[in-house]
Amino acid sequence: MKKPQLGQTPRVLFDEEAIRRRVDELARQISADYAGKGEVLLVGVLRGAFLFLADLCRRLTIPSRVDFIAVSSYGDKTVSSGTVRLLLDLRGDIRGRHVLIVEDIVDTGSTLAYLHHMLGLRDPASLKTCTLLHKAKADAKGTPVDYIGFEIEDDWVVGYGLDYADLYRTLPYIGVLQVNG
Ligand code: PRP
Ligand code: 7HP
């Protein structure tokens, strides 16, 4: 993917209302699936998933806790380095717990595959994955993606937690950045 021009206003892909409706639906589905199973531990993947997780967790009707993990593979680029760096590990032990990884986006799938493998080794009672956005081209290397908010094309999307070079993250909507060329 070529470089987005900085300073542009992103084209709206999902406005606040569309995001709210879809997050509501996901929360209902997740609450139904986990009902009666006890507590779910939501693992938010920083930094991109912070807004999605905040909205999702408040709409769940099941008992839940929250922990965070931070990874990075893009830096200031729009092409994955292919190497996922663990910047911050979970605070708590996940052995015997129902764990749901909460991502903002699955693009190449490298991050989710890395996290699923790493957390799976820690012996959780169950391990599922949820992402707000999923690129059609994503190849999560066999990692199941259990809950998907929206399927999207291979555009560079920003807002609602997603960034380009650490910009645009705080936009309330999800938009597409135009690329040069
Ligand atoms: C982004 C995003 C996902 C990951 C998805 O994180 O938040 O975690 O990339 O890409 P992939 O499917 O190609 O691995 P990034 O490394 O940019 O860190 P950030 O969330 O702190 O911006
Ligand atoms: C990571 C990421 N961050 C923001 N927008 C996208 O389209 C992205 N793909 N992978």
Side-chain angles (χ1 to χ4, degrees), residues 28-73:
R28 270 200 296 276
Q29 193 187 344
I30 292 167
S31 298
D33 291 352
Y34 282 91
K37 290 193 176 149
E39 207 174 71
V40 59
L41 177 69
L42 306 168
V43 170
V45 185
L46 296 174
R47 290 171 288 180
F50 79 109
L51 290 177
F52 175 42
L53 176 66
D55 286 343
L56 183 71
C57 70
R58 284 179 289 176
R59 290 177 188 142
L60 295 177
T61 56
I62 46 170
S64 60
R65 292 189 198 211
V66 170
D67 202 345
F68 293 98
I69 200 160
V71 288
S72 178
S73 53

Side-chain angles (χ1 to χ4, degrees), residues 18-126:
I19 296 170
R20 196 188 57 70
R21 270 191 272 114
R22 191 66 189 119
V23 175
D24 272 351
E25 287 169 1
L26 285 173
R28 270 200 296 276
Q29 193 187 344
I30 292 167
S31 298
D33 291 352
Y34 282 91
K37 290 193 176 149
E39 207 174 71
V40 59
L41 177 69
L42 306 168
V43 170
V45 185
L46 296 174
R47 290 171 288 180
F50 79 109
L51 290 177
F52 175 42
L53 176 66
D55 286 343
L56 183 71
C57 70
R58 284 179 289 176
R59 290 177 188 142
L60 295 177
T61 56
I62 46 170
S64 60
R65 292 189 198 211
V66 170
D67 202 345
F68 293 98
I69 200 160
V71 288
S72 178
S73 53
Y74 282 84
D76 284 356
K77 303 208 166 60
T78 58
V79 178
S80 171
S81 66
T83 306
V84 183
R85 281 192 306 141
L86 180 66
L87 304 178
L88 172 79
D89 205 342
L90 296 175
R91 187 172 285 191
D93 190 3
I94 63 168
R95 180 182 301 272
R97 307 182 69 172
H98 293 292
V99 174
L100 179 62
I101 301 173
V102 180
E103 262 286 22
D104 53 340
I105 189 164
V106 176
D107 182 324
T108 64
S110 300
T111 305
L112 194 65
Y114 170 88
L115 290 174
H116 191 266
H117 174 73
M118 185 179 87
L119 298 184
L121 295 174
R122 299 183 187 181
D123 221 8
S126 69

Side-chain angles (χ1 to χ4, degrees), residues 115-145:
L115 290 174
H116 191 266
H117 174 73
M118 185 179 87
L119 298 184
L121 295 174
R122 299 183 187 181
D123 221 8
S126 69
L127 181 59
K128 285 183 150 190
T129 58
C130 172
T131 184
L132 181 62
L133 303 176
H134 184 268
K135 289 197 181 176
K137 65 155 197 192
D139 163 23
K141 295 153 187 82
T143 306
V145 188

